[in-house]
Amino acid sequence: MRMLPVLIRLAWRYLWRNHRRTIVMLSAISIGAWAMIFMTALTRGMVDQMITDGISVLPGHVQLHNPEYLDDPSITNRVSLTDADLATRYADAGFEAWASRVRVPAVITSERESRGVTLLGIDPMAERDFSFVDYDQVDGRFLESPDDTGVVIGAKLADTLDTEVGKRIVLMSQDPDNEIADRGFRVVGLFHANMETYEDTYAFIGKKTAQKMLRIGDTTTEVVFFGDDYRNVEPTYEKVAAAVDDSMRVSRWTEVDTYLGTMLSVMDGFMLIWVIVIFLALSFGLVNTLVMAVFERVREIGLMLALGMKPASILGQIIIESMMLLAVGLLIGDALAWLTVKPLESGIDISVVAKGMEMFGASSVLYPKLHMDDVILSNVVVLILGFLASLSPAWRASRYEPVEAITKV
Amino acid sequence: MTAVRCVDICKTYRQGDQDIKALDHLSIDIEKGDFVCLMSPSGGGKTTLLNAIGGLDIPDSGEVWVAEQRIDQMSKGQLADLRLANVGFVFQAYNLIPVLTAQENVEFVMQVQGVPAKERRSKSLAILEEVGLRDLEDRRPAEMSGGQQQRVAVARAIVSRPELVLADEPTANLDSRTSDELMELFTELNTNHSTTFVIATHDQRVQRYAKRLVRMRDGRIVDDIEQHAA
């Protein structure tokens, strides 16, 4: 430890001895760091939005339903607990939000067209905070209560059905006895969503209205719960599971929407690989820089060994030099990333490839997100790999014989 | 007390397809407080002998004792510790660390030894004063003349008052006045602190200061004369 101050001083001074080479290397590291973090922010924002949209549409963070429901999502496989039961059981659970809903496949028919949709019977007030629909951006109005007799459909669906606010449509589904359950509704609102698919797929009515139409009393098909963080749903899962028995099935969102769950894992893996690939490209330059730096000062290394410096100190000095180079490059890269991502957090419009993006669940506006975890991951990976890359030239430097090194021409 | 003892040491180097005998069954004893000059034509083995005494180059055979420790069987770490604690080096080329200032170069060995900063600073400034470089302590080697660099190297070698100073052509790039000043400094250390000096040199001015002249040829001692120093 007592050698640390002199090693740090030597490392810093040697770093700037050939300032041109150092500046070139710093540029490479900072651009590499910027690329890592920027790409990660872009990807993270896209994935966050995909998952948040996906979660808010259906599964929530944790879902409660009939054990048969996931295999057969029909009206016969319902949650037997009423809202009152649920409210009692989860009164002190402290969820961010929860709501029960009726979800069934249905057919919507206008004067002109018919389409298959997913009918959602909801309590609009309970779902306001987590719904993918912005209630304030609805053309017309959104549902006002579970008893609301209107229907809200997507703007795209309205276009397809050639209908509009104020006109009537018919919704048709099946009751638990496999009898047709249908009813006429007036369109009271048209919603807009990040993804056109959602506008085409979902239709909202009041939960109690849906229960009456489908003749299912107080029951629903699913209950969704929201915790703090979609990446860590275990606390929420445990609270939900603790209040029910085997007659109900509790599922994490990754189990309900396996595509989204896989997407999250794939993206996490992709980002790590991206970081490693960029670093591998940088590492050639880093190792070359260190090898050259060591080669140029063989005599000085021999001198220091001759004066009594231990080989371990020589090794330490080279490694400190490498770490300093990486640290400064990373700082610059982090700053560049912050400066470029922050202004773009309001969204990058890539609607020219909107259809392609929607195919795998992403919207046509990307919102990059700078997560501190990602910045730390990038920096830590670079520092660790940089340390490993420095070992070889540092080791070779420490193995010099003093008298041979001093007399090297 | 014997500061240095070499017993029948041999060292051979390979150059191309030829073996060069740098040291050929050489034995020498140097007492504490001695001031020895090694003289030989180029290739005579004086640098190799200095390196062997300093633990920088292990002989192929024989024994080397420094400060009553046998060094030819020590590990690299032990040799480094020995050099740090007991030996001051002045190499043939100036061999300063180019990214450190004159003062930092002088302090370097003390820093490796673990001397506290305040003490290092005062000793380094004092020794730079002695060698006439007090106002150049913040300059880097590239900003100094050859003679100034050599004086910094000498200052570094003697600042921690080692028991043994090994110098290889210390006056090679110095003018006569500076050479004399340097040798007077060496003599003062030798007289007042019993520092042992072993100096390899062609310079006859240096030889005048020596108490003992050892002539070498082809890796052997051919003459060993006591003399009264100037």
Side-chain angles (χ1 to χ4, degrees):
Chain A
M1 283 304 288
R2 72 158 192 261
M3 287 300 297
L4 200 56
V6 71
L7 295 182
I8 289 172
R9 179 189 297 158
L10 283 170
W12 183 252
R13 302 241 183 121
Y14 272 123
L15 201 59
W16 295 104
R17 190 179 180 190
N18 187 331
H19 57 272
R20 272 197 208 97
R21 184 172 62 210
T22 298
I23 286 170
V24 167
M25 200 55 219
L26 277 178
S27 303
I29 294 169
S30 52
I31 290 171
W34 169 83
M36 278 182 219
I37 297 167
F38 185 83
M39 189 67 188
T40 302
L42 209 60
T43 311
R44 177 72 66 203
M46 186 175 74
V47 169
D48 270 359
Q49 191 178 16
M50 275 171 64
I51 291 173
T52 305
D53 281 350
I55 287 172
S56 65
V57 169
L58 287 180
H61 290 177
V62 173
Q63 200 171 87
L64 181 69
H65 35 71
N66 185 292
E68 308 294 323
Y69 183 76
L70 281 184
D71 296 323
D72 177 18
S74 75
I75 197 66
T76 48
N77 297 320
R78 298 191 302 283
V79 175
S80 53
L81 299 169
T82 63
D83 280 359
D85 288 335
L86 292 166
T88 305
R89 286 171 197 238
Y90 296 118
D92 299 320
F95 297 125
E96 285 288 312
W98 70 271
S100 64
R101 57 165 85 112
V102 175
R103 174 160 67 106
V104 291
V107 173
I108 187 168
T109 307
S110 68
E111 301 167 313
R112 302 274 175 91
E113 294 285 343
S114 296
R115 281 287 184 274
V117 292
T118 299
L119 179 62
L120 294 169
I122 64 169
D123 177 348
M125 291 306 114
E127 298 208 7
R128 187 185 181 104
D129 288 337
F130 58 78
S131 175
F132 70 90
V133 176
D134 184 346
Y135 291 6
D136 298 322
Q137 298 298 320
V138 169
D139 298 336
R141 65 167 179 86
F142 199 71
L143 304 172
E144 289 168 344
S145 74
D147 295 302
D148 200 313
T149 54
V151 64
V152 175
I153 61 175
K156 181 81 172 48
L157 181 61
D159 216 35
T160 305
L161 295 174
D162 198 9
T163 190
E164 59 188 13
V165 173
K167 287 199 170 173
R168 287 185 71 83
I169 53 91
V170 173
L171 283 165
M172 182 169 67
S173 188
Q174 222 171 287
D175 71 8
D177 297 321
N178 295 323
E179 297 294 333
I180 297 290
D182 58 0
R183 179 173 165 163
F185 291 84
R186 193 170 301 281
V187 177
V188 297
L190 304 180
F191 71 84
H192 301 273
N194 289 336
M195 310 251 297
E196 273 195 352
T197 317
Y198 295 167
E199 291 182 12
D200 229 1
T201 307
Y202 297 107
F204 293 92
I205 61 175
K207 182 164 64 178
K208 290 197 170 142
T209 310
Q211 286 167 331
K212 278 186 201 154
M213 172 183 146
L214 296 167
R215 297 182 278 273
I216 57 173
D218 279 345
T219 58
T220 54
T221 59
E222 63 194 28
V223 187
V224 296
F225 299 84
F226 284 82
D228 298 321
D229 181 4
Y230 71 77
R231 287 179 164 268
N232 179 23
V233 300
E234 286 313 301
T236 307
Y237 179 89
E238 278 157 22
K239 280 187 211 168
V240 173
V244 295
D245 57 25
D246 291 343
S247 64
M248 290 288 112
R249 181 172 165 179
V250 184
S251 304
R252 303 165 186 84
W253 69 267
T254 48
E255 294 161 334
V256 175
D257 192 332
T258 51
Y259 169 73
L260 280 181
T262 306
M263 184 62 65
L264 184 63
S265 306
V266 166
M267 286 300 176
D268 279 348
F270 168 76
M271 285 189 275
L272 184 61
I273 290 170
W274 171 249
V275 166
I276 290 173
V277 164
I278 289 191
F279 178 75
L280 283 175
L282 280 177
S283 64
F284 290 106
L286 177 68
V287 170
N288 183 59
T289 297
L290 287 176
V291 166
M292 285 307 300
V294 166
F295 180 74
E296 284 167 359
R297 65 178 102 133
V298 167
R299 290 185 64 186
E300 291 145 45
I301 292 171
L303 171 68
M304 287 190 252
L305 289 168
L307 293 176
M309 203 164 182
K310 293 271 176 61
S313 294
I314 300 292
L315 184 139
Q317 189 254 298
I318 306 289
I319 294 204
I320 291 172
E321 195 174 325
S322 168
M323 292 292 106
M324 280 180 173
L325 184 64
L326 289 169
V328 173
L330 285 171
L331 271 173
I332 298 171
D334 291 348
L336 278 175
W338 189 84
L339 285 170
T340 48
V341 169
K342 278 297 170 188
L344 294 174
E345 279 184 343
S346 54
I348 307 171
D349 187 353
I350 54 165
S351 50
V352 65
V353 291
K355 287 280 182 251
M357 296 301 285
E358 286 206 15
M359 276 180 69
F360 68 97
S363 86
S364 57
V365 179
L366 296 182
Y367 298 92
K369 261 194 195 167
L370 202 59
H371 281 218
M372 197 43 65
D373 286 353
D374 295 331
V375 175
I376 292 171
L377 173 71
S378 301
N379 282 249
V380 166
V381 167
V382 168
L383 287 171
I384 290 174
L385 294 180
F387 171 78
L388 294 173
S390 316
L391 282 177
S392 174
W395 175 256
R396 286 202 286 162
S398 71
R399 305 322 295 171
Y400 285 139
E401 289 294 334
V403 73
E404 286 173 18
I406 285 172
T407 53
K408 200 168 182 70
V409 174
Chain B
M1 178 179 137
T2 307
V4 175
R5 169 172 289 164
C6 299
V7 182
D8 198 35
I9 58 174
C10 294
K11 182 72 182 179
T12 304
Y13 294 109
R14 188 116 184 118
Q15 252 181 359
D17 55 358
Q18 277 193 316
D19 285 338
I20 311 290
K21 267 201 172 158
L23 296 174
D24 188 3
H25 298 283
L26 186 144
S27 296
I28 186 169
D29 284 0
I30 300 172
E31 299 298 316
K32 183 171 164 57
D34 230 345
F35 197 123
V36 179
C37 267
L38 303 176
M39 299 168 296
S40 77
S42 292
K46 55 185 185 298
T47 299
T48 308
L49 178 59
L50 276 185
N51 289 338
I53 295 170
L56 293 177
D57 204 359
I58 304 301
D60 300 327
S61 63
E63 299 171 15
V64 181
W65 295 75
V66 174
E68 304 196 332
Q69 300 175 68
R70 186 167 172 186
I71 71 169
D72 55 284
Q73 292 173 339
M74 281 185 177
S75 67
K76 283 186 182 177
Q78 289 171 320
L79 287 170
D81 288 337
L82 178 95
R83 288 195 293 272
L84 195 61
N86 298 298
V87 186
F89 280 95
V90 183
F91 296 102
Q92 192 163 6
Y94 319 119
N95 288 301
L96 298 178
I97 299 169
V99 296
L100 299 180
T101 62
Q103 184 181 356
E104 288 166 347
N105 265 286
V106 173
E107 285 187 11
F108 182 78
V109 170
M110 290 190 284
Q111 197 154 16
V112 177
Q113 288 170 337
V115 175
K118 210 170 162 188
E119 189 182 334
R120 283 200 315 262
R121 183 171 165 77
S122 66
K123 280 186 175 177
S124 61
L125 290 175
I127 204 73
L128 284 170
E129 178 95 50
E130 276 191 62
V131 299
L133 294 176
R134 180 61 175 88
D135 294 327
L136 302 183
E137 68 264 23
D138 291 327
R139 288 207 192 166
R140 293 202 185 180
E143 297 163 337
M144 293 188 273
S145 68
Q148 289 168 339
Q149 289 182 41
Q150 185 68 312
R151 281 188 276 164
V152 173
V154 168
R156 183 192 60 213
I158 63 178
V159 69
S160 54
R161 303 282 186 242
E163 290 181 13
L164 173 64
V165 174
L166 305 174
D168 195 351
E169 305 285 0
T171 59
N173 292 288
L174 302 181
D175 56 66
S176 54
R177 192 174 74 101
T178 311
S179 296
D180 284 333
E181 284 173 0
L182 184 66
M183 294 315 300
E184 273 156 26
L185 176 61
F186 281 4
T187 304
E188 187 194 322
L189 284 170
N190 178 249
T191 307
N192 296 339
H193 299 281
S194 296
T195 306
T196 309
F197 281 83
V198 183
I199 301 174
T201 185
H202 292 110
D203 192 339
Q204 289 186 337
R205 288 177 303 215
V206 174
Q207 292 168 18
R208 281 189 293 126
Y209 288 86
K211 294 176 188 171
R212 182 176 165 192
L213 299 174
V214 175
R215 292 184 200 282
M216 296 174 61
R217 185 180 295 141
D218 297 331
R220 289 169 179 255
I221 293 174
V222 296
D223 215 354
D224 190 343
I225 309 167
E226 299 276 342
Q227 70 171 26
H228 294 293

